[in-house]
Structure formats: C-alpha cells, structure tokens
Amino acid sequence: MSPDLPPVAPSVTAALVAALPPRLRKRLDAGVTKLLARPVTRDGDTVRIAVDDGTDVVLHAPGGSVTGADAIRCGCLLAPDCLHRAAAASAAPVAGDTPDLGTAGESGSAEDPGPAGEPGPGGDGDATKGTAEGEPGEPETATPAQHAAAHAVFDAAAAVLEAGTDGAGAVLQAELLHAAHTARLAGLPRASAAAVAVVTAVRAARAADPAYRLGDLAGALTAVLDVAHRLPHATGPELSALRGTVRQPYRPDGSLRLYGLFSEPVLTATGYAGAVTWTADADGRLYTVSDVAPGGPARATGAADRAVRVGDTTLTHRELSRAGLAVSGATVSPTGRLGAGAGVRAVRAAGAAWHDEPLDRLWAVPAADQVTRALEGGQDLLFLEVTLTGTVRETAGDCLLADCAGVSLRLAAAHDDPALPYRENLRLLAGAAGSRLRIVARLTPGPHPRALLLAVAHPTDPAARVDLGLDRLQHADLPRDTFVPGGGAAGGDEAPLHLLRRRVHQAVPGGRRVLALAAGTPGDAARLRRLGLATAADLLDDLRTAAVDRSRDVFGRLVPADRGRFARSWLAAAVYTEVVEQALCVHAWGGAARAAAAPATA
C-alpha cells in the first residue's frame, strides 16, 4: 500500500479486480509489487504512475479520493481490462468515510454531516429499516438483503482468515472489499467499515508497515466476523447497534466554555491525515475540534498550525490546545466533535493549566475507574499522575516504565512514523526517570497496564505541557538531577490465557494450515484445565479440531476445508480471550471497579 496514491473506493477496486481474466488475476500480486516500485508524481487531483518509459497509469481523485473505475486510466495496449489499473487500485489506500473516532475526524457540521450510504436492492440506503412493518410490538429484524450482505462479509473475512496475511493477496482483498460495498448498499455501515479495516490492516502487514500490529489485525478480524455472525439473528436495539450508522448527527448544545487540553496529529493507514485538538468544559466533558482530510505525514505535521474550523476564530490547533474557547450556537456529534456550521460562533478565551480548575478534576478520577469507563465503551483517554521509573525494550521499540499509584505501567509511543516526534520524545523522557508528571494517554487493553503516551506536563515547568506528537523536547527541557528507582522490565507472571491468545494470533499471519501444524500441543489445553480455565481449554481444542478437519470424497481426495467452521471456532476463541483480558485489565489497574461490559459471544 502506497501513501503516495489517493484513496480508492472499495467498489472500484472490487470491480477492476473482478474484470480481470483468470490468467491476470494470478499475476495481480506481482503486478502490485512492481507498481509500488515505480515513480509517482502528483499534479493537483491527478496522480501519475510511470509503469515504463512509454506507459502511465493515471488516477483522477477530485475531492481527494477515486470514486469511479473510469477515474483510473492506463495507456497500455490491453487497457481498459489490463493488469495495471487493478494493480494501481490494489496498491492504493482504501477510501471510506473520513474517520470520526474522536482521535481522527474531519471537520464537519450539523449542516454537512458526511456521506450517507447509497441506496441498494433491498437496502434503500436506510440503516434503520426492518424487513416489514409487521404487527405492533413485533421485534425488528434484518432485511433479506442485509442477511445476504452479512453472510457475504462473513464468508469473505473467513477466506482471509483461512489464508492468513501471507496468503491474502489482492484477489482475496478485493472480494472482501466487494462484500464491504454490498454491506454498505444494504444499510450495514458498521460491517462495511469493519471489512475495510481488515483489508487496510492486511495490506499494512504484507507491506511490512512499521505501524502494523498483529493485535490490531486480530482485533479487526474479530470485529468483522462478530458483527457479520450476530447480525442475521439480532433484533431490536442490538440489531440497530450492529447495523451502525454512517451519518454522525449533530445536536444543538447551546453555549460552551471550553479549555484546551492537548493536540495530537492524525495519520491513518487509509490515507487521511491532520490534527485533532481535545478540550474540556467546566464539568469535565470532552470535546474535539478536528481537521482531517486525505494526505500524508506533511499534512499531519502541518495541520496543527492551521486555524480551527469552529466559528470565525483564528486560533490554530496548537494555540487552542493551551487556550480556551467560548462557543455559542454549538453543535456536537455523539463522539463529542464540535460542528462548524454557519450558525456557530466562537471567540478566544482564557485557558487553564492542568493543575488548575476545571481541568484538575480530570486527574482526580481513580485510574481503575477511568479504565472501566474506557472498556465499557466510553472515552479511552486516561488522565494520570505517574513517576517515571525507567525503560523496557519491546519488539516494537522501547517503552517508558512508570509507577501510577502503585501500578507498574508501560507507556508506548502513540505512532511510529518517523515524521512524528513520538518515539524521539519517549527516548528523551527516559532521561527524566524519577520525575513525577501528569500525563494524558490512550488505554491499550491487556492483562498488563499499558497505554499510548500522548501528552505530558513539562518536566521542568508543571504549568506548561508538551504534545508529544507535535512538539519536540530538547535535552535542556529535562531536569538536571534524576535517578532510576529500580528501572527495568515490569514484573508479574502472565496469565495462562496467553496459551489460547497466541493460537488466535498465530492464525492471523499464517492462516488455518499453520495453525493446524502448530496447535497440536496437547499440554496447552491440559495446563489451562489444571489452572481452572476449562472454557479456554475447550475452545483451544475446538480451534485445533477445526484447523485440522479435512474430509475426503469417495475417491479419497481432500475436499475444500470448511471455512465457516474454522472462522466460527476462531471467533469464539478470540471473543473469549478479549472478554477475559478486559477483566484482567481492570484487575491489573487496581481493579476494585467491576469488569467492563463484554461483547456477546460467537
């Protein structure tokens, strides 16, 4: 996947790959690899790839993304049904709705809430429509088109899981993108977005993207299989939640007095970049102002110095993170994003330091309560007071170790792109061991306390703050006298749940065949049972059985594996692991708080 190319709509990639004859489909992955090595030039909305000295592939992306197959053209003799067009679409990021996840969203307003799903057969573009009006009181069910779309998404995702990332080439990716497009037309934006997320993560894995994480891909596969599996059987509110929504409705929120907290850059694998600034009101409610659009690292680092799109204020994101804002006629999305409609008025106001009211109250909430709130679907930001104690080396790089009210916490870089200063700032903060700081971090759920570090109070000036993705610390910013009170790796034995988790994760890169070979250690299930995790042991046995289950026809030949059976067994193990790890996460953070609400089992 090349960030130099504009995002391409899933339907475009699916259509171009489907149009290839079988002999060219076999060559598609090699074609993608070759195309990624060719020079790319951009002129406004037009991107040109030099296939060779006399042939170019041209992508037209008005508005920042490619939305039609005719917007990708090739000058070779085999065009339009050539390999180059399909390869270009498969090499580009997957276009979708601009992210609105609190950490990554485009500027929007109540008057311009974003694109809605296109109407399709049986879907009508309405994510809230049931099969029929039915009798009063009859629970709402999915439409026939939504049933079919959910099954298509499940089957396509199961094929990716069976093949693993090593075998999930451009053809399997295109089939999942086609299923995602079908789901969107049927009014299932949540399933569609989950499928696109899997393709994006698979491409990152195959391209050895440094930002790729195996756990993220495993989570994306769990999400898409879970939604597609549950949706045909769901009714009422559960069905509405599984369908999801594309539009982010903005509600009037009157007048707001906001105080800047911090800003963070946004740089996604789907080709979007920019900045989001977090603010809070006097009651501690969080609001965001975003500026995210198609782009790369340069946009991520430059957006912080652009004026925020709220009213007619001239504050930049960097300035707002330390100042305040008085807003009248405010509109707010369900995720807390401020709208930028014509009726919104905003003027600069005084800010507040993290130790001053009203921001001080954010750090007064116990860490365990903040973790429980995040695991139950609330805001995943953590406001913590920690003492830096050292560093620990991990596969992805060094992490800071910190003590948080007796809890040993690992703080990792929020993004590994070298254009962003997260990793460099973490290295410098390692020299401030012994310092007690207020921090803002994003929870990483797991059996050990872990979070992504976003912002810190300045090591030598507690009234100031450092946005670690935008500001660059200097050695002069560190205290002169620091010490390391027992730095090193965090202790603690890992729960035996890892015996199941590693098999769940092992299937993601290697697919069913690798798991069939590797999952045959009978001692793992026996150990889980001895330690009281009988359900985990049963799930591990079932996963191994599903991986090795291959029947034969009357002539003794192996018949194709049952992808659905394997996918359901893997999903059950993945969801169980996620639920137990959430409970362990709360316990690890000092968990007197109750365990977070768990997703339904497969």
Side-chain angles (χ1 to χ4, degrees):
M1 183 172 61
S2 172
D4 297 326
L5 300 179
V8 176
S11 59
V12 174
T13 305
L16 292 176
V17 174
L20 292 176
R23 65 180 181 84
L24 291 183
R25 285 194 184 191
K26 294 178 181 179
R27 296 167 49 191
L28 182 55
D29 288 332
V32 171
T33 301
K34 181 179 179 181
L35 209 66
L36 286 171
R38 301 303 300 167
V40 177
T41 58
R42 181 184 291 269
D43 182 11
D45 293 334
T46 300
V47 176
R48 190 177 301 272
I49 309 171
V51 177
D52 53 41
D53 292 340
T55 305
D56 290 345
V57 177
V58 180
L59 295 84
H60 296 281
S65 61
V66 176
T67 58
D70 58 352
I72 302 180
R73 301 173 185 172
C74 181
C76 76
L77 296 177
L78 296 179
D81 297 327
C82 64
L83 182 68
H84 302 133
R85 296 174 70 220
S90 300
V94 184
D97 297 321
T98 308
D100 182 24
L101 303 175
T103 61
E106 91 271 48
S107 297
S109 67
E111 293 74 24
D112 181 24
E118 301 172 62
D124 299 324
D126 186 351
T128 62
K129 188 174 181 178
T131 53
E133 294 184 9
E135 298 297 329
E138 182 179 342
E140 184 184 18
T141 58
T143 68
Q146 290 172 342
H147 273 264
H151 285 301
V153 169
F154 187 92
D155 291 344
V160 170
L161 174 64
E162 186 195 35
T165 54
D166 296 339
V171 173
L172 283 182
Q173 294 169 29
E175 290 173 357
L176 185 52
L177 290 176
H178 180 268
H181 182 60
T182 302
R184 182 180 176 88
L185 295 181
L188 302 177
R190 181 175 171 185
S192 176
V196 168
V198 169
V199 174
T200 298
V202 167
R203 291 183 178 180
R206 291 173 64 87
D209 187 330
Y212 164 73
R213 297 289 181 269
L214 174 60
D216 293 341
L217 177 52
L221 276 166
T222 302
V224 70
L225 289 169
D226 184 47
V227 170
H229 174 73
R230 292 164 55 199
L231 194 143
H233 315 287
T235 60
E238 181 188 8
L239 175 61
S240 297
L242 291 172
R243 282 170 171 160
T245 179
V246 176
R247 293 183 180 271
Q248 285 290 319
Y250 284 73
R251 55 177 173 79
D253 207 14
S255 297
L256 297 173
R257 176 65 170 89
L258 304 176
Y259 301 83
L261 275 167
F262 73 100
S263 290
E264 62 175 318
V266 175
L267 183 59
T268 75
T270 53
Y272 289 94
V276 59
T277 297
W278 291 84
T279 66
D281 67 7
D283 295 322
R285 290 190 297 265
L286 301 181
Y287 297 83
T288 59
V289 181
S290 304
D291 180 3
V292 177
R299 194 178 198 285
T301 55
D305 294 314
R306 295 162 60 102
V308 299
R309 293 183 57 190
V310 178
D312 54 0
T313 179
T314 59
L315 278 172
T316 66
H317 283 270
R318 195 185 301 272
E319 291 169 339
L320 176 58
S321 69
R322 292 160 173 80
L325 202 64
V327 185
S328 61
T331 56
V332 184
S333 81
T335 59
R337 189 176 64 179
L338 291 174
V344 179
R345 298 288 182 269
V347 296
R348 181 172 186 156
W354 283 359
H355 283 83
D356 297 336
E357 289 294 339
L359 298 184
D360 182 66
R361 68 185 60 188
L362 295 170
W363 279 264
V365 180
D369 291 347
Q370 295 187 52
V371 170
T372 299
R373 177 188 64 200
L375 293 176
E376 290 179 337
Q379 186 50 250
D380 63 354
L381 292 185
L382 303 179
F383 301 90
L384 308 173
E385 194 149 358
V386 304
T387 300
L388 302 181
T389 60
T391 60
V392 60
R393 181 168 294 279
E394 295 184 342
T395 303
D398 290 348
C399 287
L400 285 177
L401 291 178
D403 177 82
C404 179
V407 173
S408 182
L409 170 63
R410 294 190 181 197
L411 297 169
H415 205 293
D416 285 326
D417 193 287
L420 305 178
Y422 282 117
R423 182 67 63 186
E424 181 182 342
N425 284 333
L426 246 67
R427 291 194 188 99
L428 283 171
L429 283 173
S435 298
R436 186 163 182 81
L437 303 172
R438 283 195 168 182
I439 67 170
V440 181
R442 180 166 288 115
L443 175 68
T444 302
H448 298 298
R450 183 182 179 87
L452 304 178
L453 191 57
L454 301 172
V456 300
H458 195 283
T460 57
D461 182 5
R465 65 196 73 161
V466 181
D467 298 337
L468 296 177
L470 298 171
D471 304 326
R472 292 187 181 272
L473 282 168
Q474 305 296 326
H475 284 286
D477 295 320
L478 303 181
R480 294 182 179 180
D481 299 318
T482 58
F483 65 97
V484 181
D493 294 330
E494 186 174 17
L497 187 67
H498 75 277
L499 298 174
L500 177 61
R501 185 201 315 116
R502 72 180 178 185
R503 299 308 183 197
V504 169
H505 284 184
Q506 202 167 38
V508 175
R512 180 189 57 77
R513 292 177 180 84
V514 169
L515 194 61
L517 295 174
T521 307
D524 287 352
R527 183 181 174 192
L528 287 169
R529 288 190 174 92
R530 285 198 305 271
L531 294 169
L533 294 175
T535 301
D538 291 343
L539 290 169
L540 182 57
D541 284 340
D542 185 66
L543 182 59
R544 177 183 178 276
T545 300
V548 302
D549 185 18
R550 295 292 302 277
S551 57
R552 297 179 181 270
D553 62 16
V554 294
F555 299 104
R557 296 172 301 193
L558 284 173
V559 299
D562 186 347
R563 290 175 176 173
R565 160 90 165 88
F566 176 67
R568 287 188 293 272
S569 295
W570 183 89
L571 176 61
V575 171
Y576 172 87
T577 303
E578 180 182 328
V579 171
V580 175
E581 284 189 338
Q582 285 185 352
L584 291 173
C585 182
V586 172
H587 177 75
W589 279 87
R594 63 184 178 86
T601 55

